[in-house]
Structures are given as structure tokens and as C-alpha cells.
Amino acid sequence: NATFDIATKRVSLLGDRASTNNVAQATVANQPLWSGFDGTNDKSYISFDGTNDALTSLSNLPLGHDFTIFEVSKITKNSDSYVFGYSAVRGKITMGINEIGKYGIAVNDGNQTISVSTDNDAYGDYHIGIMHLHNKRAHLEYYDSSSSFTSSDFDSQFNHELTYNAASFDVGKYNTGNYMTGEFNELIIFNRQLTTAEIADVKGYLNLKYKIY
């Protein structure tokens, strides 16, 4: 559901299937590029330049206390390169390559941060990244063609009463910097923690579609 200029391939709008969380970029110079084929499993993708390309939601992120997020992408920059970002006065969420070159997730309640990252460098690979938050624990699942990683982090001081609906979210960056370099394929957000079986079903759908592993 991408709206792009045919001549330049610059993407101005990426539509949500529910039409409630569309992401857009009005500034032409900051619009990522559309490619209709030649991505993973020859699928279409949107490429981000790591400098100023980003898409921002037209409405606030609609998440409560618990949530589950899936993303499919290939991030080629080796540090501070985020495919998904949310930043409010209280509450922050990131998914992508962190400052040490690992694929990581992080959620912050305004004081405490829960974060999990892979053991190995994870940039340059097509992958499925999964983040889910429940109570005071954040879970990470990561899958690429040659490796997989599953872990979680718990913080008893984390404020689980916080909701994540006070600001917009970004695809291709976090906050005012930390831009993504690479290819973006898909983002799926659920406003609850999915069950183990449900996560497996969504992960299976994404792997069938994109042939990640």
C-alpha cells in the first residue's frame, strides 16, 4: 500500500491495512525509495539511506501495557540504525541495530530501561525481529538465514502501568537521529502480548512470504 512518485520512486505514504496507522513523509528529500522487486524472495521493499529518510505515523502509536511487534528488514549500517522507534516524554521503544552492532530491542518507562540484544553482530542480514512486552519483561526473538536468538530481560522496578500511545512512531529512525540504512519489508503491531502459538503463526507467515530462514 505504498504511494510513490513513479519517476523518482520516492515514497510519500505507506498505508496500514487497517488504515489507522499510516506512515508518511511530506519532505521529498527525506522520502525513502520504493523498489517493486529484487528484495528478499524477490519481494518489494523500501530502502532508507541512513541520513534523513524516515516515515512517521499520522496518528499516535496505539499501544497499552503489553504489546507484540514484528518487523522484517535488512539493516546494513553497523550501529545506531533503527527500523522502528517511538519516543514520548515518558516511554520509548526501539528495534534495530544498537550502538555495538547487535540487533536489539529496548523499552523505557521514563526511568528504567529493559533491553535485549543478540550475541552476534546482526547487520547486513535479512531477518525477522520480534519484540513483546508483558508485565515487567521484554522478550526478543531474532531469525536470519543462518542463526536465531531468543532471550528476555526483566526489571522489577519497571513501570508496567505505562501505555505507549502519547506520540507518533517512526519507521526508519529513532527519535531525531539514529537513521536506518537498509531495506524495510514489513511491520506488524499488536496491542497485546500474543500467545506462543500466535507468535509462531505470524512468524511462520512472514517466513513463508519472505523466505528468511
Side-chain angles (χ1 to χ4, degrees):
N1 296 325
T3 300
F4 60 92
D5 181 84
I6 294 176
T8 66
K9 306 300 184 184
R10 291 190 175 274
V11 177
S12 58
L13 177 73
L14 184 61
D16 171 40
R17 290 186 179 181
S19 299
T20 55
N21 289 289
N22 295 340
V23 292
Q25 178 58 258
T27 303
V28 173
N30 298 346
Q31 292 173 348
L33 300 180
W34 170 263
S35 180
F37 62 97
D38 204 30
T40 178
N41 199 30
D42 204 31
K43 298 296 184 183
S44 60
Y45 64 90
I46 298 174
S47 61
F48 291 80
D49 67 3
T51 302
N52 53 24
D53 288 353
L55 297 169
T56 300
S57 63
L58 300 178
S59 56
N60 286 358
L61 183 66
L63 296 183
H65 313 298
D66 295 343
F67 58 81
T68 309
I69 303 174
F70 299 78
E71 65 88 6
V72 181
S73 65
K74 180 174 74 170
I75 304 171
T76 55
K77 184 181 176 184
N78 64 5
S79 67
D80 294 318
S81 188
Y82 294 98
V83 62
F84 176 86
Y86 167 83
S87 181
V89 174
R90 293 185 64 214
K92 295 174 173 47
I93 304 170
T94 59
M95 299 179 72
I97 301 299
N98 61 22
E99 68 278 4
I100 57 173
K102 317 299 185 185
Y103 183 91
I105 61 168
V107 57
N108 177 277
D109 65 4
N111 293 299
Q112 306 297 122
T113 298
I114 305 176
S115 62
V116 190
S117 60
T118 57
D119 293 330
N120 301 320
D121 292 344
Y123 55 89
D125 295 316
Y126 290 111
H127 65 266
I128 299 171
I130 307 169
M131 175 184 189
H132 45 112
L133 179 69
H134 178 60
N135 290 331
K136 300 173 184 289
R137 185 177 295 276
H139 302 256
L140 166 64
E141 296 184 38
Y142 171 89
Y143 304 89
D144 63 30
S145 62
S146 61
S147 66
S148 64
F149 178 87
T150 303
S151 189
S152 67
D153 185 32
F154 174 82
D155 187 336
S156 62
Q157 302 302 310
F158 190 81
N159 178 14
H160 184 245
E161 298 305 311
L162 184 68
T163 57
Y164 303 87
N165 52 21
S168 59
F169 66 90
D170 294 304
V171 175
K173 76 166 186 173
Y174 165 64
N175 215 342
T176 57
N178 300 318
Y179 288 89
M180 171 184 165
T181 304
E183 301 174 13
F184 168 78
N185 297 98
E186 191 158 343
L187 177 71
I188 304 176
I189 300 174
F190 293 90
N191 187 21
R192 63 181 178 90
Q193 177 177 325
L194 301 190
T195 66
T196 300
E198 289 172 328
I199 290 172
D201 285 344
V202 178
K203 180 183 69 176
Y205 152 75
L206 291 172
N207 190 48
L208 181 65
K209 182 176 181 179
Y210 295 107
K211 304 297 186 198
I212 300 297
Y213 58 90

